[in-house]
Amino acid sequence: MSARITTMVLCDFAQVRDSLLFVSSGGVSRVVAHSFPARLRLYLATVVHITGDQVERPHRMSVKFKYPDAVATIGGVEVNIQLNTLSGVYPGEGVNVPQALDLSQIPFPKPGQVDVQVAIDDELAGDLTFWVLAAQQAANPAT
């Protein structure tokens, strides 16, 4: 694989500045929604490592959100990664490319477990799981 995920975390906020990834309140595993469909204030922060021989080639990162119990896709995000000539990079050196994906535009239709699957150039590169809970569920987890 010419590109791989080295870092992937759900967080309250993320941004990229000067090729550096800033993450605030990372490690989110549960999100509470008061109504559905829910638009979550959530970011997916990733760092994609691209090997030196593949730096100038375009890459595509595809992120899919799924409910595993229903095998239903909720939505997705596509990111094109195109690096041109880089200054200060040694021949054969790989490059880390941080991404901060705002997930607030994806409507989550119901509460439940959500699987996040990330592919780079159509090859699975990473996954994680989180839960979207209804407010009443979060208040009474035994129900």
Side-chain angles (χ1 to χ4, degrees):
M1 180 181 291
S2 60
R4 69 182 195 282
I5 298 285
T6 60
T7 304
M8 182 166 63
V9 65
L10 286 169
C11 53
D12 286 342
F13 178 76
Q15 73 178 20
V16 176
R17 181 189 50 80
D18 297 330
S19 299
L20 298 173
L21 180 63
F22 170 79
V23 174
S24 178
S25 303
V28 172
S29 61
R30 293 174 178 231
V31 180
V32 176
H34 295 281
S35 63
F36 291 90
R39 298 215 185 244
L40 307 175
R41 290 179 43 185
L42 196 61
Y43 283 74
L44 179 66
T46 65
V47 176
V48 177
H49 181 81
I50 301 174
T51 59
D53 61 332
Q54 297 292 312
V55 166
E56 293 184 13
R57 181 177 160 260
H59 299 277
R60 184 175 52 89
M61 184 170 80
S62 172
V63 183
K64 292 182 182 173
F65 300 87
K66 299 179 178 183
Y67 288 121
D69 60 344
V71 194
T73 300
I74 299 162
V77 178
E78 298 259 336
V79 176
N80 291 315
I81 301 170
Q82 176 66 56
L83 302 173
N84 297 317
T85 305
L86 300 172
S87 62
V89 176
Y90 295 104
E93 179 183 8
V95 176
N96 289 325
V97 182
Q99 302 288 325
L101 305 176
D102 182 352
L103 307 181
S104 65
Q105 297 305 308
I106 298 173
F108 292 83
K110 64 178 184 136
Q113 178 182 339
V114 176
D115 288 345
V116 183
Q117 297 176 333
V118 180
I120 299 176
D121 299 330
D122 298 320
E123 290 185 42
L124 183 62
D127 61 352
L128 56 81
T129 297
F130 71 100
W131 288 83
V132 178
L133 304 175
Q136 63 271 24
Q137 228 181 344
N140 303 309
T143 58

